[in-house]
Amino acid sequence: MKKINITIFSGGSGNIELLNVLKDLKKKNLINLNLLINGYDDGKSTGFLRELFPDMLGPSDFRKNCENLLNLEIHEHSILKKIISYRFSNFRDFQFFISNVFKESNTYNEYKFIKNLNWQKFTFFKNCLMKFKEALIKKNFDKTKFKDISLGNIFFVGNYLASNKNFNSAIKNFTNFFEMRDTIHNVTDGQNLFLCGLTKKGKILKNEVEIIENKTKEMISEIFLTKNPLKTEEKIKIENYIQYKDKINYLRKREITPKINKEIISIIKKTDILIYGTGTQNSSLFPSYLT
């Protein structure tokens, strides 16, 4: 029986109910499932990590989908679930973790689940965390910003550094580790870009966070991807333009259209069912369609 190829444009968590159904079909070997995601998330802890490593896209939505697709009936997947969802409240928590988790004499039950990984996974995981630690030591950063950060995201960053800062290679290594091979893909070639938006009344939303919050609840008419994030002073400058078309023109000049991940072309051509998923449209989904 030929498997059905299903492809979903997705954000991080908006399609979780649909994925619960589809992963069951995937488990029964009835479908091939592909999730197409962008990496423009820059809120909260992901934003902090992107500040620390300014040439990197955001890993959170890739991590969330890995977590959503884990099959907890499989023992190893329950271990992977603990790893991907474990969180550090603050920098001191992370320091304590990294100082103790890989010690032979480690007696902390809270970390025991990591020792249950097979040797190949354990070694890869350890190497990635050491890469992150070594890079972090060289950074001068505000320790108070290191809060509520997932181990999954830290692992991704270490893996990104170990992958010679090739974001799409890092996704492959990350998804393979969590046994989601050839399922989760970045829409673009991995170029690091930043999202901003413009409302119909001419208000600038200078990043992905402001687009999601959209505190004034104005309709968003345009979104843009730029090489560098908009700064507050630049936001004010654009908003001071009287003519709406001048605001558009300014942002158009800064706009970059990312190149597609070439693997996506083949995936879409082979797709039987293409789903434009639910989620926060102007941050999770529309930016993917720009590619």
Side-chain angles (χ1 to χ4, degrees):
M1 179 179 174
K2 179 183 178 293
K3 290 196 281 187
I4 298 171
N5 295 315
I6 299 179
T7 300
I8 308 175
F9 282 103
S10 183
S13 304
N15 296 290
I16 188 166
E17 296 302 330
L18 176 60
L19 291 183
N20 285 336
V21 175
L22 294 179
K23 75 179 180 182
D24 189 51
L25 296 177
K26 189 173 188 291
K27 182 173 65 177
K28 293 173 181 175
N29 216 28
L30 296 173
I31 65 169
N32 293 315
L33 180 62
N34 287 286
L35 274 60
L36 310 185
I37 302 166
N38 68 66
Y40 304 124
D41 180 12
D42 62 8
K44 298 180 181 177
S45 61
T46 304
F48 170 67
L49 290 172
R50 290 187 76 185
E51 284 178 19
L52 279 178
F53 302 93
D55 47 2
M56 182 187 73
L57 286 164
S60 278
D61 285 353
F62 302 95
R63 171 186 59 80
K64 288 173 185 174
N65 279 288
C66 270
E67 184 176 353
N68 292 341
L69 287 170
L70 288 171
N71 177 8
L72 300 185
E73 293 175 7
I74 300 172
H75 175 65
E76 188 165 21
H77 279 213
S78 65
I79 299 168
L80 297 174
K81 165 77 171 177
K82 290 178 182 177
I83 289 173
I84 206 167
S85 61
Y86 190 92
R87 301 189 82 85
F88 301 105
S89 298
N90 51 47
F91 185 59
R92 184 181 294 178
D93 281 355
F94 171 73
Q95 286 179 306
F96 186 82
F97 175 88
I98 210 73
S99 298
N100 291 283
V101 66
F102 298 121
K103 285 182 179 177
E104 288 294 327
S105 59
N106 172 30
T107 58
Y108 296 98
N109 288 329
E110 191 178 0
Y111 307 151
K112 287 289 187 184
F113 61 91
I114 291 170
K115 293 289 181 72
N116 291 326
L117 289 170
N118 68 51
W119 181 248
Q120 185 178 10
K121 275 189 165 66
F122 179 84
T123 303
F124 178 69
F125 179 74
K126 180 180 179 179
N127 289 342
C128 289
L129 259 64
M130 290 301 106
K131 281 279 186 185
F132 180 85
K133 177 191 172 186
E134 290 162 9
L136 196 66
I137 289 169
K138 299 173 185 177
K139 303 283 183 181
N140 182 20
F141 64 96
D142 181 356
K143 305 296 189 297
T144 63
K145 288 186 175 182
F146 196 109
K147 57 185 179 182
D148 193 31
I149 297 182
S150 78
L151 175 57
N153 278 358
I154 288 173
F155 171 45
F156 187 99
V157 177
N159 161 42
Y160 166 75
L161 297 172
S163 303
N164 296 315
K165 297 185 177 181
N166 183 312
F167 192 81
N168 286 357
S169 292
I171 291 172
K172 284 183 180 294
N173 294 334
F174 187 80
T175 54
N176 287 351
F177 179 90
F178 289 101
E179 300 183 357
M180 300 299 153
R181 183 184 299 273
D182 300 328
T183 300
I184 298 171
H185 313 270
N186 183 24
V187 169
T188 77
D189 64 356
Q191 182 182 9
N192 187 38
L193 297 173
F194 296 87
L195 189 62
C196 62
L198 180 66
T199 72
K200 284 204 168 183
K201 293 184 178 179
K203 181 178 174 58
I204 300 295
L205 305 171
K206 69 184 176 76
N207 52 36
E208 191 252 6
V209 175
E210 290 193 1
I211 287 173
I212 291 173
E213 292 179 348
N214 190 11
K215 292 178 179 178
T216 60
K217 306 302 178 188
E218 295 176 23
M219 184 173 287
I220 298 171
S221 61
E222 297 275 352
I223 55 172
F224 307 86
L225 293 167
T226 60
K227 184 176 181 180
N228 298 303
L230 289 184
K231 295 181 179 178
T232 301
E233 55 268 28
E234 191 175 12
K235 171 182 174 176
I236 294 169
K237 174 185 173 181
I238 302 168
E239 286 184 335
N240 282 337
Y241 287 134
I242 296 173
Q243 297 295 322
Y244 188 84
K245 66 178 181 180
D246 292 333
K247 299 178 183 185
I248 289 281
N249 290 338
Y250 183 97
L251 291 166
R252 282 274 178 261
K253 287 176 182 177
R254 284 204 52 179
E255 184 179 34
I256 293 175
T257 301
K259 294 178 181 176
I260 196 168
N261 175 353
K262 290 181 180 177
E263 292 181 4
I264 300 300
I265 298 171
S266 174
I267 287 168
I268 291 177
K269 283 182 176 179
K270 293 176 182 176
T271 292
D272 299 306
I273 300 173
L274 179 63
I275 300 172
Y276 293 84
T278 57
T280 311
Q281 299 293 312
N282 286 292
S283 61
S284 297
L285 300 165
F286 291 168
S288 295
Y289 308 154
L290 289 178
T291 304

